[in-house]
Amino acid sequence: MIPKGGSSGKLRRLGIPPVGDRVVQAALKLVLEPIFEADFLPCSYGFRPKRRAQDAIAEIHFFGSRSYQWVLEADIQACFDEISHSALMDRVRARIGDKRVLALVKAFLKAGIMHADGTADASITGTPQGGILSPLLANIALSALDEYFAEIWQSYGSDYQRTARRKRGLPMCRLVRYADDWVVMVSGTREHAEALRVEAAAVLAPMGLRLSETKTQVVHIDEGFDFLGWRIQRRRKRGTARQVVYTYPSKKALASIVDKVRAITGRSKHRHLSELLRQLNAVLRGWCAYFRHGVSAATFGYLDEYAWRRVTRWLRKRHPRVSWASLIRRFLPGRRPTEGGISLFKPQEVAVVRYRYRGLHIPTPWTTPPAAVS
């Protein structure tokens, strides 16, 4: 059992397959993924080739800027632990006829988890978290939700008919899903969004899944909500009367990176500044690369200043008998912590660029490239 993300204090199961099983799961994934990718719908972005979290955020931004003002922010309770094996295998059998492949999938689902003391727990429900095949199996199960909302979207008709429907004040909705995290953007009223909550629960019930009563809620885009580490909220653009949807790092995401910086710079195991900077830079660079496609300049500036203060504090503690002037001369050329050719990464210099919404134009590894014109 390992701690779940956040400050809930709850635990979740983590099964790490042995090397032999991982090799078989990877080979099985190579067989299954192209088959199911042909059926997966474009509203799903998690754990799929050439798709990423930024695509999901860009789609939410796109629809939030076009009168989809109500948001059903949903959370599936213990999704990976409670997926029904029989319901999942039914969906796999619908596309796979080879009994040997089906037997392998079922064997991985039923493998159970062995603890450090040698005891084993049977796997009655859920997919084996920590396994290579687990995200694909979860997507297969949750594609039932994608298909339900896709049917609703198709019932609205063509683009012209959807525009006319929206102008008449009729409700419309659009699902955006990243693995087991998903939202439904609603053009209509709060009552329409609340009705979709009941419908979604009914779709998930046959898969053995249920919505969390405490975490599932309906919010207005003006109130804002957190999704995949981002805070998404509509505000008045400064200096104008326009209402604009902004995406920026959430408070929880910022608190997470601050905790990591504090933990790294609080350790005494780093013998040299270069070791500290090498580890800290990797964390800062990765975090900024994820959040650079949003309104993140102010956050990057704060993070830059915080990291600088933590590193200089580490230097003072590491060299208590060295004067501040000597520390600046030895370790802070240009006021930037540096040693061995490694300088502290500068988050505030990361270019902030709006992520381009790709919509239905996301290729797959199996897409046939266009023929070259001679």
Side-chain angles (χ1 to χ4, degrees), residues 26-100:
L28 191 57
K29 182 173 180 286
L30 291 175
V31 174
L32 296 178
E33 190 172 52
I35 298 172
F36 285 99
E37 274 292 329
D39 296 334
F40 287 161
L41 298 173
C43 62
S44 168
Y45 295 99
F47 302 109
R48 294 183 59 189
K50 296 194 175 183
R51 289 171 173 259
R52 53 187 71 92
Q54 282 80 4
D55 288 314
I57 300 300
E59 182 156 346
I60 293 174
H61 182 275
F62 178 84
F63 284 99
S65 303
R66 288 163 175 78
S67 80
Y68 288 75
Q69 301 180 1
W70 290 100
V71 182
L72 171 59
E73 184 187 3
D75 180 85
I76 300 176
Q77 186 169 325
C79 175
F80 284 83
D81 294 335
E82 296 190 1
I83 294 176
S84 169
H85 287 175
S86 58
L88 175 58
M89 287 304 300
D90 287 343
R91 294 190 68 83
V92 175
R93 290 190 191 98
R95 292 290 279 130
I96 305 297
D98 193 310
K99 293 184 178 179
R100 294 168 297 180

Side-chain angles (χ1 to χ4, degrees), residues 43 59-60 63-64 68-75 145-146 148-149 152-153 156 172-177 181-189 192-201 211 216-221 225 227:
C43 62
E59 182 156 346
I60 293 174
F63 284 99
Y68 288 75
Q69 301 180 1
W70 290 100
V71 182
L72 171 59
E73 184 187 3
D75 180 85
L145 190 68
D146 304 344
Y148 177 79
F149 281 97
I152 295 178
W153 182 259
Y156 299 149
M172 296 177 62
C173 65
R174 181 76 174 188
L175 172 70
V176 181
R177 183 175 68 83
D181 295 320
W182 52 278
V183 298
V184 180
M185 308 295 295
V186 180
S187 175
T189 64
H192 295 142
E194 292 286 359
L196 290 174
R197 175 177 180 167
V198 177
E199 295 176 26
L211 297 178
T216 301
Q217 58 182 343
V218 174
V219 298
H220 196 273
I221 193 70
F225 62 98
F227 188 66

Side-chain angles (χ1 to χ4, degrees), residues 97-240:
D98 193 310
K99 293 184 178 179
R100 294 168 297 180
V101 174
L102 294 173
L104 274 176
V105 175
K106 188 172 182 179
F108 284 125
L109 290 174
K110 300 293 185 181
I113 297 178
M114 179 175 289
H115 299 282
D117 58 4
T119 60
D121 290 340
S123 297
I124 302 174
T125 60
T127 61
Q129 291 196 62
I132 297 174
L133 200 59
S134 181
L136 176 59
L137 295 177
N139 270 334
I140 293 173
L142 293 174
S143 61
L145 190 68
D146 304 344
E147 294 165 3
Y148 177 79
F149 281 97
E151 290 179 3
I152 295 178
W153 182 259
Q154 293 297 327
S155 69
Y156 299 149
S158 63
D159 291 343
Y160 173 79
Q161 292 172 317
R162 287 195 290 267
T163 302
R165 178 186 177 91
R166 192 165 61 246
K167 288 181 179 179
R168 293 198 302 270
L170 298 176
M172 296 177 62
C173 65
R174 181 76 174 188
L175 172 70
V176 181
R177 183 175 68 83
Y178 187 94
D180 59 330
D181 295 320
W182 52 278
V183 298
V184 180
M185 308 295 295
V186 180
S187 175
T189 64
R190 184 184 185 92
E191 288 69 27
H192 295 142
E194 292 286 359
L196 290 174
R197 175 177 180 167
V198 177
E199 295 176 26
V203 174
L204 294 171
M207 299 302 304
L209 302 174
R210 61 185 186 275
L211 297 178
S212 171
E213 293 295 332
T214 57
K215 295 182 180 179
T216 301
Q217 58 182 343
V218 174
V219 298
H220 196 273
I221 193 70
D222 290 347
E223 302 172 39
F225 62 98
D226 292 350
F227 188 66
L228 301 180
W230 295 87
R231 182 69 179 175
I232 305 171
Q233 188 174 12
R234 189 173 66 177
R235 296 178 175 180
R236 183 180 63 83
K237 186 176 182 179
R238 184 181 301 175
T240 70

Side-chain angles (χ1 to χ4, degrees), residues 284-285 287-288 296-297 299-305 307 336 344-352:
L284 294 175
R285 189 177 289 110
W287 195 86
C288 292
S296 308
T299 305
F300 288 170
Y302 169 81
L303 183 60
D304 191 309
E305 180 185 357
R336 204 70 189 173
L344 178 63
F345 179 75
K346 297 182 179 180
Q348 66 179 358
E349 292 186 357
V350 175
V352 174

